[in-house]
């Protein structure tokens, strides 16, 4: 049951997080800030796993982070990473309508299918693609993000600043709070 798992999280301070999102969602910056190896070629990485440890509210927190590839070539392998997940972070760029729609139409349904009983929180990054013309792009309106959160039953939404290492730690801390306070089975971190 979710109450039993929440009690374990509080006692042990350990959590498995799966991150999903398109290549240009800012997810790679988040992973790099938390200690994951930066990829030379993001399209060829299937799965990156690493440990992250921090102290929060006087307690040591140990996170096993599983960063999955958004590459279509790995669609059949990625579901294996969801096993025993405690949270699923779904990333999108607030400057990319395509990334936002992928979060809605691909990543959320996939996460809910493979780990329906874990928490869901959206992570919107300020990543701007340098490979595409990004000058003058306006961020996705907050009202649309709130609608997506409400429509999907996500437990929260956090913004991640790709230029600030502390922003990654703040996402982890806020996610931790939500997961420990969640008293139902529908907290998926997106």
């Amino acid at each position: 049951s979710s109450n039993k798992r929440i009690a374990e999280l509080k006692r042990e301070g350990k959590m498995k997080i799966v991150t999903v999102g398109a290549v240009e969602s800012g997810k790679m910056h988040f992973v790099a800030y938390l200690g994951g190896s930066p990829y030379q070629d993001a399209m060829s990485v299937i799965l990156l796993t690493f440990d992250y440890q921090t102290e929060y509210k006087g307690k040591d927190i140990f996170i096993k982070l599983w960063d999955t590839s958004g590459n279509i070539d790995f669609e059949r392998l990625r579901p294996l990473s969801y096993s025993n997940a405690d949270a699923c972070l779904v990333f999108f760029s607030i400057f990319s309508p395509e990334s936002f729609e992928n979060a809605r139409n691909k990543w959320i349904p996939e996460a809910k299918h493979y780990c329906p009983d874990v928490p869901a929180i959206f992570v919107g990054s300020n990543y701007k693609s340098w490979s595409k013309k990004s000058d003058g792009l306006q961020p996705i309106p907050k009202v649309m993000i709130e609608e997506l959160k409400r429509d999907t039953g996500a437990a929260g939404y956090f913004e991640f600043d790709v230029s600030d290492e502390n922003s990654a730690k703040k996402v982890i801390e806020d996610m931790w709070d939500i997961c420990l306070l969640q008293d139902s089975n529908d907290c998926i971190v997106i």
Side-chain angles (χ1 to χ4, degrees):
S1 86
S2 66
N3 290 339
K4 181 179 176 185
R5 183 63 192 138
I6 290 169
E8 289 174 17
L9 288 174
K10 286 180 180 177
R11 184 178 65 253
E12 298 174 11
K14 296 179 181 177
M15 175 182 272
K16 176 185 174 184
I17 300 172
V18 176
T19 63
V20 296
V23 171
E24 295 183 338
S25 65
K27 179 173 66 99
M28 289 188 304
H29 292 272
F30 178 81
V31 169
Y33 282 142
L34 295 181
S37 300
Y39 323 150
Q40 295 300 324
D41 178 10
M43 297 305 284
S44 66
V45 174
I46 298 171
L47 175 68
L48 174 68
T49 65
F50 65 93
D51 296 323
Y52 173 74
Q53 179 181 352
T54 189
E55 184 179 315
Y56 180 57
K57 294 183 177 178
K59 182 169 184 67
D60 287 331
I61 299 172
F62 302 92
I63 295 190
K64 177 62 108 179
L65 195 135
W66 291 50
D67 180 35
T68 63
S69 172
N71 188 325
I72 196 164
D73 294 338
F74 306 128
E75 297 271 324
R76 295 180 65 173
L77 294 174
R78 188 175 48 253
L80 300 174
S81 67
Y82 289 111
S83 178
N84 298 316
D86 295 304
C88 181
L89 295 171
V90 177
F91 283 77
F92 66 92
S93 168
I94 62 171
F95 290 102
S96 170
E98 179 182 1
S99 175
F100 181 75
E101 288 304 314
N102 281 339
R104 173 192 307 275
N105 299 322
K106 178 179 182 172
W107 302 114
I108 294 169
E110 182 179 290
K112 287 191 171 201
H113 176 77
Y114 291 107
C115 51
D117 296 332
V118 299
I121 299 167
F122 293 105
V123 180
S125 82
N126 62 348
Y127 179 83
K128 292 184 183 178
S129 171
W130 301 114
S131 64
K132 299 176 184 170
K133 184 81 172 149
S134 61
D135 293 338
L137 281 180
Q138 296 298 312
I140 304 290
K142 294 253 189 214
V143 66
M144 289 179 68
I145 294 170
E146 286 299 319
E147 286 173 6
L148 179 63
K149 180 183 154 204
R150 183 191 65 239
D151 293 348
T152 61
Y157 166 71
F158 305 127
E159 292 187 349
F160 166 61
D161 181 348
V162 298
S163 66
D164 181 8
E165 183 174 353
N166 290 323
S167 182
K169 185 176 179 187
K170 177 84 170 109
V171 167
I172 292 292
E173 291 170 351
D174 290 344
M175 179 210 58
W176 185 262
D177 285 342
I178 282 180
C179 289
L180 292 183
L181 294 173
Q182 191 72 21
D183 59 1
S184 68
N185 288 343
D186 61 2
C187 175
I188 296 177
V189 179
I190 301 181

